[in-house]
Amino acid sequence: MSDAIKHECGIALIRLRKPYQYYIDKYETPLYAVHKLSVMMEKQVNRGQDGAGVANIKIDVPPGKRYISRYRSVEPQPLTDIFSKIHKKFRKGLKNHREHTNDAKWLQENLAFTGEVWLGHLRYGTHGSNEVENCHPMLRQSNWRSRNLVMAGNFNMTNVDELFGKLVSLGQHPKEKVDTVTVMEKIGHFLDEENQRVFERFKGIYENPTLSNVIEENIDLPRLLYRSCRDFDGGYAMCGLTGYGASFVIRDPAGIRPAFYYADDEVVVVASEKQAIKAAFNVDYNQIQEITPGSALIVDKNGEYNEFPILPQLEKRSCSFERIYFSRGTDPDIYNERKQLGKLLIPQILKEVNYDLENTIFSYIPNTAETAFLGMIEGLEEYLAKKRKQAIMEGILFEADLEKVLSFRPRIEKLVTKDVKSRTFITADALRDDMVSSVYDTTFEVVRKNVDTVVIIDDSIVRGTTLEKSILTMLDRLSPKKIVVASSAPQIRFPDCYGIDMSKMKDFVAFRAVLKLLEERDLEYLLEDTYMHSVTSIATKNPYHTNYVKALYEPFTDQEISDKIAEIIRPKDLNAELSVVFQTVDNLHKACPQHLGDWYFTGNYPTLGGNKVVNRAFANSHEGKLERAY
């Protein structure tokens, strides 16, 4: 995505199912879980570079010994910072106690990060400043071991105001009105209630400290999670660790956010991406399972695990952007889907180049679009194979013509290169344009001036600013006759509210194109109508049932919007012709048939809260407000 955006987060959970001594003996290191977690998190660093955190819980250590450890970091390389600190802690703790290096009991009583339950998190901040206090895992503490709660997640709630109000009605006084705090406090509240329920049940039968252990053995986590999550509206994969060692991962009922797990007799592990589990544990992909939407994977204090249905499932609408761009493309399913997305663009591309492949060069930007590019070239080869067969069947009179038909191959060049390893969106907005210009380099002397057409494929086009202010200008210096920008994703028309930083309508070049079209065709009254519907629905507390913003796109065809986008992103001094080709929604579904979450493109949100957010986002835009809509 040349217009890179902040998105998603990454989770990694490891539960050691055997005693700590087992791993020291078998793997000859007390750092087995540390190594595995670091691999899982490193393989998901694409999901979060603003910060990271790691938490660890020891099971059944004696009273008076620390049993919860946590490090968080917002340093430039947060993973390196965190795991360096953990290793340093081990070196310092063992400096004068080398004889205890392989003694699990001594290690657990004297060193942090020697527990059986591990939780890691990678953060992209879509809300709040980039401070360590905003990094997961979050910790809710208590002197009662069974009331402690550690949480991290990849989530965003659309109904934070309502959830905050529920907490206040329960008698709480939350310190912040953000979904991270609200979610943890809500689950924490019902964890407290569940503790009290079990305490009341057994208080006449057992005495402390035995009663504390009985409470831990009888806490009903599925019941607790149902009571906590039944009011949630959003996309989420949330991990929780209790102080006594039980853990859970709950996934939203529409399966919007991804979550996968693997289990054997030594470990239960969970991650946002299959590739992280594959890399850390070298298991076959068919051994990695998807957590069922609306269910919780629960691992009890004894290491036994199972999936429990928590909330009624909705139609599965897992995020299609995971497939287009966000997740690692080395996952075999995602790799094949991205190739298919490129291949399915071929009919539109051929039309734009007037089927003149001799005078067309194909390339891609950025590097993440390479897989879609390979699919596009594969599609071209299939097209050419059909043309060769047709030519032979029809009969070619001259040997030279036959040679030309048989030997022709698409022209492929690397025209734009990103020559530094920085992500342009991390730079402040005021400096971003200058940085974008400096991180891309152009290959000269391969384009025949004023003869060749250049087709360049991108993952998706969000704002169009990087194309307008840098890439198109660089390509124009090569003097092509025409530039065709092909997006493997459809037009992004509507905001996200489930964890991706796309919440402002005017950020979308497709929306800006529609505003221009409405103005040109004297249809601006539709803006006022949509605004009145939106603010009325919000004011009457009934904003959930209709996405009123869809009406603004209905008067125009996809092609009309694409043409207007091409006008908007065209630099003033561009000499070449310019056109923009977008994937169709139908083809997106063909390429990713199991991942139908397409609300960015269609406005068909998987939860009712999505309609509230899009209506509020439009109202904010119409009123000139730059704030988030959720």
Side-chain angles (χ1 to χ4, degrees):
M1 181 183 297
S2 54
D3 283 321
I5 55 174
K6 294 185 177 183
H7 61 83
E8 307 292 337
C9 287
I11 55 174
L13 182 146
I14 298 177
R15 170 62 155 94
L16 303 180
R17 301 187 69 197
K18 293 182 180 294
Y20 187 43
Q21 188 68 53
Y22 169 90
Y23 303 91
I24 297 174
D25 295 341
K26 180 173 179 178
Y27 298 103
E28 299 180 344
T29 175
L31 294 166
Y32 169 79
V34 175
H35 295 325
K36 295 298 185 183
L37 187 68
S38 67
V39 173
M40 289 178 70
M41 295 181 71
E42 186 62 42
K43 288 299 180 183
Q44 297 182 102
V45 76
N46 54 296
R47 305 186 71 83
Q49 297 181 9
D50 285 347
V54 168
N56 177 234
I57 288 180
K58 305 172 189 175
I59 299 175
D60 285 338
V61 295
K65 300 293 182 178
R66 182 178 294 274
Y67 60 94
I68 300 178
S69 304
R70 178 181 61 160
Y71 277 149
R72 297 179 293 175
S73 175
V74 290
E75 292 298 311
Q77 299 293 329
L79 281 184
T80 300
D81 183 46
I82 287 171
F83 285 103
S84 294
K85 287 179 178 177
I86 292 175
H87 281 82
K88 182 179 179 180
K89 187 172 282 289
F90 268 80
R91 289 194 301 270
K92 184 177 180 180
L94 290 169
K95 183 176 181 180
N96 298 315
H97 301 279
R98 296 294 181 188
E99 72 277 12
H100 294 302
T101 300
N102 297 318
D103 183 346
K105 186 174 185 297
W106 186 91
L107 290 169
Q108 290 198 305
E109 292 184 6
N110 292 277
L111 285 185
F113 297 102
T114 55
E116 297 87 346
V117 195
W118 293 80
L119 178 58
H121 185 266
L122 295 134
R123 178 178 189 261
Y124 263 137
T126 58
H127 185 59
S129 58
N130 193 32
E131 299 175 353
V132 73
E133 289 79 11
N134 291 324
C135 283
H136 299 192
M138 299 291 189
L139 178 58
R140 189 177 190 266
Q141 293 181 286
S142 170
N143 269 348
W144 288 76
R145 188 168 63 180
S146 56
R147 291 176 184 249
N148 279 280
L149 180 65
V150 182
M151 286 202 66
N154 170 17
F155 66 90
N156 221 89
M157 298 298 168
T158 69
N159 61 334
V160 175
D161 290 343
E162 291 91 331
L163 295 175
F164 182 86
K166 294 251 184 186
L167 289 177
V168 173
S169 70
L170 291 170
Q172 291 196 21
H173 193 92
K175 60 183 180 180
E176 290 183 80
K177 198 176 188 180
V178 295
D179 54 5
T180 302
V181 172
T182 304
V183 164
M184 184 174 69
E185 290 300 333
K186 196 159 189 288
I187 293 175
H189 169 82
F190 286 106
L191 177 61
D192 288 344
E193 280 205 351
E194 181 65 15
N195 270 267
Q196 190 64 32
R197 183 186 70 84
V198 180
F199 172 79
E200 295 293 339
R201 177 183 172 191
F202 290 105
K203 68 178 180 179
I205 304 173
Y206 299 96
E207 299 292 332
N208 278 325
T210 303
L211 180 56
S212 294
N213 293 326
V214 172
I215 290 173
E216 294 174 358
E217 294 291 342
N218 286 275
I219 285 177
D220 188 342
L221 278 177
R223 178 178 183 270
L224 183 163
L225 292 173
Y226 165 72
R227 299 183 72 204
S228 305
C229 302
R230 58 188 170 183
D231 299 322
F232 291 172
D233 187 297
Y236 50 87
M238 295 185 294
C239 299
L241 315 181
T242 63
Y244 64 93
S247 56
F248 61 85
V249 181
I250 182 167
R251 193 174 179 207
D252 66 84
I256 296 169
R257 299 272 69 89
F260 302 92
Y261 75 98
Y262 163 76
D264 59 25
D265 61 345
E266 292 187 357
V267 295
V268 179
V269 295
V270 179
S272 295
E273 298 190 28
K274 289 188 288 185
Q275 185 64 18
I277 299 173
K278 170 71 174 175
F281 294 91
N282 193 30
V283 297
D284 293 337
Y285 279 103
N286 59 16
Q287 295 177 276
I288 302 171
Q289 301 181 58
E290 186 176 4
I291 295 178
T292 306
S295 294
L297 176 70
I298 295 177
V299 188
D300 67 21
K301 181 180 178 180
N302 301 312
E304 299 301 316
Y305 70 94
N306 208 342
E307 275 197 82
F308 296 87
I310 302 297
L311 300 168
Q313 283 191 47
L314 302 175
E315 178 189 359
K316 189 179 178 187
R317 301 284 298 283
S318 49
C319 174
S320 58
F321 250 131
E322 289 281 354
R323 325 305 291 182
I324 296 167
Y325 172 71
F326 294 150
S327 292
R328 278 184 177 266
T330 47
D331 180 303
D333 291 335
I334 292 175
Y335 180 81
N336 288 324
E337 289 166 7
R338 289 181 183 173
K339 284 187 71 176
Q340 187 69 3
L341 285 168
K343 184 183 292 189
L344 290 169
L345 281 169
I346 288 301
Q348 294 167 265
I349 291 172
L350 288 172
K351 184 177 178 181
E352 282 297 330
V353 303
N354 200 27
Y355 299 87
D356 181 11
L357 296 183
E358 289 188 37
N359 299 310
T360 301
I361 295 176
F362 295 89
S363 193
Y364 61 92
I365 184 72
N367 290 342
T368 51
E370 183 177 8
T371 307
F373 170 77
L374 293 175
M376 179 178 69
I377 299 304
E378 191 174 292
L380 281 172
E381 292 285 7
E382 290 179 3
Y383 166 77
L384 288 170
K386 291 178 182 177
K387 297 298 288 184
R388 292 186 194 106
K389 181 178 178 181
Q390 179 184 351
I392 293 170
M393 293 293 290
E394 291 176 354
I396 296 178
L397 297 178
F398 300 104
E399 184 176 342
D401 293 333
L402 179 60
E403 178 68 25
K404 181 179 178 181
V405 168
L406 293 178
S407 63
F408 182 80
R409 292 292 182 274
R411 297 171 62 194
I412 300 169
E413 302 290 353
K414 181 81 171 183
L415 295 179
V416 181
T417 304
K418 194 172 184 180
D419 59 359
V420 297
K421 293 183 178 180
S422 56
R423 289 200 174 203
T424 52
F425 59 85
I426 294 175
T427 300
D429 289 345
L431 303 175
R432 189 174 187 276
D433 294 343
D434 291 339
M435 184 174 179
V436 168
S437 297
S438 68
V439 301
Y440 288 106
D441 199 7
T442 316
T443 305
F444 288 89
E445 305 303 327
V446 295
V447 175
R448 293 177 298 182
K449 295 181 179 181
N450 302 313
V451 174
D452 288 334
T453 293
V454 168
V455 175
I456 192 157
I457 190 169
D458 195 347
D459 306 285
S460 58
I461 301 170
V462 186
R463 307 177 186 94
T465 50
T466 305
L467 286 167
E468 176 188 359
K469 297 181 179 180
S470 296
I471 293 172
L472 290 174
T473 298
M474 288 190 294
L475 289 173
D476 198 49
R477 291 178 189 146
L478 305 178
S479 299
K481 177 183 177 182
K482 182 177 182 179
I483 300 170
V484 179
V485 180
S487 168
S488 68
Q491 298 166 1
I492 298 171
R493 300 179 172 189
F494 302 94
D496 181 68
C497 51
Y498 303 118
I500 303 170
D501 190 16
M502 297 195 305
S503 61
K504 298 170 185 174
M505 295 293 299
K506 285 191 176 179
D507 280 350
F508 309 137
V509 68
F511 181 70
R512 302 200 322 264
V514 162
L515 292 181
K516 289 279 190 183
L517 288 167
L518 290 169
E519 179 184 355
E520 291 170 2
R521 302 188 188 181
D522 294 324
L523 295 173
E524 289 177 291
Y525 69 89
L526 288 175
L527 292 171
E528 294 301 325
D529 288 350
T530 301
Y531 175 69
M532 290 305 299
H533 285 306
S534 297
V535 295
T536 300
S537 70
I538 294 166
T540 57
K541 306 294 184 183
N542 187 31
Y544 297 101
H545 299 295
T546 303
N547 175 355
Y548 294 108
V549 183
K550 283 185 179 183
L552 299 178
Y553 291 91
E554 289 174 357
F556 313 112
T557 65
D558 291 352
Q559 187 62 54
E560 288 173 326
I561 296 172
S562 294
D563 292 343
K564 187 56 63 175
I565 289 172
E567 289 181 25
I568 290 173
I569 67 172
R570 181 185 181 89
K572 292 180 180 179
D573 56 353
L574 192 77
N575 294 311
E577 298 177 46
L578 175 65
S579 65
V580 182
V581 171
F582 286 92
Q583 188 67 266
T584 67
V585 173
D586 286 344
N587 280 344
L588 171 67
H589 292 167
K590 286 180 185 177
C592 311
Q594 304 303 315
H595 305 275
L596 302 178
D598 61 4
W599 54 92
Y600 326 92
F601 319 118
T602 65
N604 298 326
Y605 289 90
T607 75
L608 292 176
N611 291 331
K612 179 185 76 169
V613 168
V614 69
N615 293 331
R616 168 50 67 192
F618 174 74
N620 287 346
S621 173
H622 200 68
E623 294 168 4
K625 295 179 181 177
L626 299 178
E627 62 193 48
R628 283 172 22 135
Y630 57 93

